[in-house]
Amino acid sequence: MSARTTSDQARARPGWVPAVAVVLAGLVAMGLTASLGLWAAGAADLPDGAFPRVVAATLVTSVGGVVEFSGDAGGLAETTAGLTVIPLSVTLAGALVIAAGFLRPLRNRAPAGDRELGSWAAKVALLWLLALLGLALGARQTFRISLGEGAIADIGDLFGLTPQVGFATDVPLSLFFGLLWLAGVLVLALLVSRGTPLSGRLLRLREPARPVAYAMVALLLVHVLLGLVVGLVTAGTRGHPAETFATLLLGLPNLAWLGLTLGLGATWDGRVEGPFSLPMPHVLDQVLRSEDVRALNVGTLSEHDGRVWWLVVAAAVLVLAAAFLAAARSPAGVPLWQHAVRMAVALALTVLMICLVGRVSASYGLSVLGIGDLGGDLAGEVFLRPRVWGALGLAVLWGLVTGALGALLAGAARRRGPTP
């Protein structure tokens, strides 16, 4: 009986109960992260009980969902608003929990065949889509914009203006991008996992890419951990702890991975205009606060704070360490040029991912009788976008150099002792 039970456990296919547990655990991790971050940012004080809906919208956007804004201010006025930003702290929390839950039933058992693996992934995907549908339908709210006091308020009273702005999700697009996000998480989890047994064909596809994929994931996570340490030190020494914790809980990877691209030499274009600012260190706000588009790189940042050159040092050390890790986990017979090419491709794909998910765009405004700038904190714009091709070119160059150096270091380490 016991032998049969052991054999059954080794070959049992993951069912619906583990799939429910995976999806619920991911949603709980994301919901807690988003709720604490928004609470620290003051969103709990929003009127009309909007906090749960804002949390739902945050979860939808964290997996690539689309939230659309609309405005209404009566026949003589117009309100506009837009927001494009992915709260990557929430994204990362969900990705780590879902990946771990997805891999857990596959460990310490017989290799998973293509059909079995597809069935397990389909169960998780179906439940994920149902949960995301509920979040997308619940993420909608309308707010009234206060006109304040003085002349602007008088104009509003005169014309009976009650400007409002609301948000709602684009459900089909949110489901599509949410499913695409989940597929990426599951594929990456299988790619970097060492202890998950796969069938022969899947194993052959995974083995060449696994060492460098693992190294890139480690590189991204180490940058997040370093950013967390810096953020906690900042919260403890420079005041404004609530503001700092809101940034950490909502946008820590946004800043950490931006720092990685800047350390590699990439340039981002941006501008901060109006009463609000980017959720990032003050020096970035100083560089970008202008009526014109400004270039953001280590050169422009160093004009305000020379310590930003440490980003270059950190990038050099950590990318080389990632290249060494990838080479050390690769078979001994892989040629040096192949290590360099794999590292270049992997780093370029990593930087491309950062460029795609790290963009920021936010704007709002109120116009009356065609007058678009009424002042009084009623208009503003923030955006940050990368120069993608330059960033990718630099990533390829860094990858080729560090890939070759990492392979040389790994070869020397193998000759002196056992492979890590």
Side-chain angles (χ1 to χ4, degrees):
M1 178 69 71
S2 61
R4 182 178 182 276
T5 302
T6 302
S7 176
D8 290 344
Q9 288 176 347
R11 291 176 171 81
R13 297 184 178 184
W16 286 103
V17 173
V20 171
V22 170
V23 173
L24 281 180
L27 290 175
V28 168
M30 298 170 74
L32 284 175
T33 305
S35 298
L36 290 173
L38 291 168
W39 173 78
D45 298 328
L46 289 172
D48 302 326
F51 184 71
R53 298 180 181 88
V54 174
V55 172
T58 303
L59 265 62
V60 171
T61 57
S62 71
V63 297
V66 179
V67 174
E68 298 177 337
F69 286 80
S70 59
D72 179 26
L76 301 177
E78 180 182 3
T79 57
T80 59
L83 177 66
T84 302
V85 62
I86 299 177
L88 290 178
S89 292
V90 181
T91 307
L92 184 60
L96 292 175
V97 172
I98 289 175
F102 178 76
L103 294 176
R104 189 174 183 276
L106 302 176
R107 296 182 183 274
N108 304 318
R109 43 150 296 150
D114 298 358
R115 182 176 298 179
E116 178 184 351
L117 192 60
S119 174
W120 171 227
K123 289 182 177 72
V124 174
L126 178 59
L127 293 171
W128 172 252
L129 280 178
L130 291 175
L132 191 59
L133 176 62
L135 289 172
L137 292 176
R140 55 185 69 238
Q141 182 71 33
T142 300
F143 301 98
R144 183 180 183 277
I145 301 175
S146 173
L147 295 177
E149 300 178 353
I152 297 175
D154 294 339
I155 294 176
D157 292 338
L158 177 63
F159 292 104
L161 304 179
T162 56
Q164 294 179 331
V165 63
F167 66 85
T169 54
D170 185 320
V171 176
L173 274 180
S174 296
L175 293 180
F176 172 76
F177 286 118
L179 184 60
L180 194 63
W181 175 85
L182 179 69
V185 169
L186 301 186
V187 169
L188 187 59
L190 289 171
L191 191 60
V192 303
S193 173
R194 192 178 228 174
T196 303
L198 299 177
S199 65
R201 185 175 65 173
L202 293 177
L203 195 62
R204 286 191 298 271
L205 291 173
R206 182 182 71 173
E207 286 310 299
R210 191 188 63 78
V212 73
Y214 181 91
M216 290 299 100
V217 171
L219 175 66
L220 293 175
L221 292 180
V222 168
H223 267 84
V224 171
L225 290 176
L226 289 177
L228 177 61
V229 171
V230 173
L232 292 176
V233 171
T234 301
T237 58
R238 297 191 179 181
H240 306 291
E243 197 175 295
T244 303
F245 280 114
T247 300
L248 295 178
L249 289 165
L250 295 174
L252 174 57
N254 300 68
L255 300 180
W257 298 344
L258 171 66
L260 170 60
T261 64
L262 294 176
L264 295 176
T267 296
W268 294 61
D269 293 319
R271 181 175 64 182
V272 176
E273 183 182 17
F276 53 58
S277 62
L278 289 168
M280 56 179 54
H282 182 60
V283 62
L284 274 71
D285 187 86
Q286 285 182 310
V287 173
L288 297 178
R289 187 163 292 281
S290 170
E291 294 183 358
D292 301 318
V293 177
R294 297 290 304 275
L296 180 69
N297 51 47
V298 288
T300 56
L301 286 171
S302 65
E303 296 173 2
H304 298 269
D305 191 339
R307 291 173 297 178
V308 297
W309 288 106
W310 283 105
L311 292 175
V312 179
V313 176
V317 171
L318 294 177
V319 172
L320 180 58
F324 170 80
L325 180 62
R329 286 174 165 262
S330 299
V334 178
L336 184 145
W337 69 266
Q338 206 166 82
H339 284 296
V341 170
R342 288 178 180 177
M343 184 65 186
V345 172
L347 190 58
L349 290 175
T350 301
V351 169
L352 177 61
M353 180 275 296
I354 296 172
C355 290
L356 293 176
V357 303
R359 297 167 180 262
V360 176
S361 176
S363 63
Y364 71 91
L366 170 67
S367 62
V368 178
L369 298 176
I371 303 173
D373 184 8
L374 297 177
D377 293 347
L378 295 178
E381 180 183 21
V382 171
F383 74 86
L384 184 66
R385 56 175 179 249
R387 298 181 185 178
V388 177
W389 292 112
L392 293 181
L394 288 166
V396 169
L397 182 60
W398 275 88
L400 290 172
V401 174
T402 57
L405 290 176
L408 292 173
L409 292 173
R414 281 196 183 99
R415 289 190 293 270
R416 286 198 296 266
T419 302

